[in-house]
Amino acid sequence: MPSPDKETAPSTLPAGAVARDVERHRGANVARVRDAVAEEIPIAFVYNERPHAVMMATPADLQDFALGFSLSEAIIDHAAQCEKVEIVEALAGIELRITIPEKYAAVLDDRVRQLTGRTGCGLCGAQTLDAAVRHPARVVDVATIDALALKRSLNELQRSQKINAVTGATHAAAWAATQGRIVLLREDVGRHNALDKLIGAMLSTGTDSGGIDPHDGFLVVTSRASYEMVMKAATVGIGFLAAISAPTALAIALAKETNLTLIGFARAHGYSVYANAQRVLDQSAQIDRSIAS
């Protein structure tokens, strides 16, 4: 978290942060300074010229956002089916004009799902219970992670957040190798958006095969573990999620249903495992599993 007294030069700001004037009060002292704040604008998803969703998001890594959202919302099955993404600036925001095979675009018409997403809200606009709560297939071949690797990833996580370092206003979703090294990170004012951007980056870059293997590592997020975070992860085959804040009851239930290991309250000094604890190796722990299930 940046210091509230820190002033950042506009020329040094990362994409997704902008400079604004602020009147800063500290006791009896008042100063007018330039401050770094996170951008948040409407981003419209348009598939084959069909408007589908509008999300309030940070306008950075938009190609990743388009691909990740399309995959995590099960609009397409594979990255190659995202044939083209055109980023078009409009007066009110930005349009992501996405071209996918027509049979997948036609399915969107049947889903009758027009999302108006506020920051951190991905279910807004779902019109039926079936549309609101999806049940991804069970994940397979999930890596076993050592507790020391988890601690290492948490130490790297804060240092890797460039937008949050100057604004204090963004979430991050990061992919860590099994040893705990952060290999990819994306940020956004919305936690779901950050995860979508990460998923898009993972599945479009990295290995020679065209992406990072979602079975070879684990996901770390700077937010609570809501149902949607688990749903999006499981949909693309990620089977290990660690959040620095709490999970919800529905997230725990879905994690168990999809065979995903779910960790909450991940901190340098400890963590809580809510589902599939057998994949967490902790040599220093003295485990008491006598609690009734």
Side-chain angles (χ1 to χ4, degrees):
M1 180 73 67
S3 167
D5 295 315
K6 182 179 179 181
E7 185 173 355
T8 305
S11 61
T12 66
L13 296 179
V18 292
R20 295 291 184 266
D21 291 332
V22 58
E23 188 175 275
R24 182 171 291 158
H25 292 246
R26 297 293 181 268
N29 297 319
V30 179
R32 192 165 184 82
V33 299
R34 294 285 280 175
D35 194 18
V37 297
E39 287 190 277
E40 183 180 28
I41 67 172
I43 307 290
F45 288 76
V46 180
Y47 289 93
N48 294 17
E49 301 184 356
R50 297 174 173 87
H52 175 64
V54 178
M55 307 298 289
M56 298 303 297
T58 302
D61 302 307
L62 295 180
Q63 290 276 349
D64 295 336
F65 196 17
L67 175 58
F69 181 88
S70 301
L71 290 166
S72 75
E73 289 293 321
I75 293 169
I76 57 175
D77 300 320
H78 305 289
Q81 293 166 348
C82 184
E83 298 171 353
K84 180 182 178 182
V85 177
E86 185 180 4
I87 300 171
V88 179
E89 294 190 14
L91 185 62
I94 292 177
E95 279 193 0
L96 300 181
R97 297 178 182 174
I98 305 165
T99 303
I100 60 177
E102 182 56 29
K103 67 175 182 178
Y104 293 99
V107 170
L108 291 181
D109 297 335
D110 296 334
R111 287 168 70 173
V112 195
R113 182 182 172 108
Q114 297 295 324
L115 303 177
T116 301
R118 300 171 179 85
T119 301
C121 180
L123 292 180
C124 303
Q127 297 179 355
T128 68
L129 291 177
D130 288 340
V133 180
R134 287 194 286 113
H135 298 271
R138 287 172 63 84
V139 292
V140 296
D141 300 326
V142 183
T144 297
I145 305 299
D146 192 284
L148 290 177
L150 175 61
K151 182 176 181 179
R152 188 175 301 119
S153 71
L154 294 170
N155 289 336
E156 286 194 20
L157 184 63
Q158 186 173 8
R159 297 196 300 268
S160 303
Q161 297 174 59
K162 294 182 180 179
I163 303 176
N164 194 64
V166 296
T167 67
T170 55
H171 283 296
W175 185 253
T178 52
Q179 299 81 12
R181 180 176 59 88
I182 298 293
V183 296
L184 197 60
L185 181 144
R186 291 293 183 266
E187 295 179 85
D188 197 278
V189 290
R191 64 186 188 279
H192 305 127
N193 301 337
L195 179 53
D196 280 335
K197 290 178 178 181
L198 177 71
I199 289 170
M202 284 177 59
L203 299 181
S204 63
T205 62
T207 67
D208 292 338
S209 62
I212 293 175
D213 187 350
H215 305 106
D216 189 20
F218 59 101
L219 174 63
V220 189
V221 298
T222 63
S223 65
R224 69 182 185 271
S226 61
Y227 151 79
E228 267 207 302
M229 301 296 277
V230 173
M231 180 271 293
K232 286 176 178 290
T235 296
V236 298
I238 295 172
F240 199 113
L241 166 60
I244 68 170
S245 192
T248 66
L250 186 55
I252 296 170
L254 186 64
K256 293 179 178 179
E257 177 185 318
T258 58
N259 195 36
L260 179 144
T261 293
L262 179 60
I263 289 178
F265 296 108
R267 302 284 195 276
H269 60 271
Y271 54 90
S272 298
V273 188
Y274 292 88
N276 296 300
Q278 73 276 11
R279 300 195 189 101
V280 184
L281 298 179
D282 195 336
Q283 302 298 328
S284 64
Q286 297 181 1
I287 302 177
D288 179 4
R289 292 201 170 98
S290 62
I291 301 174
S293 60

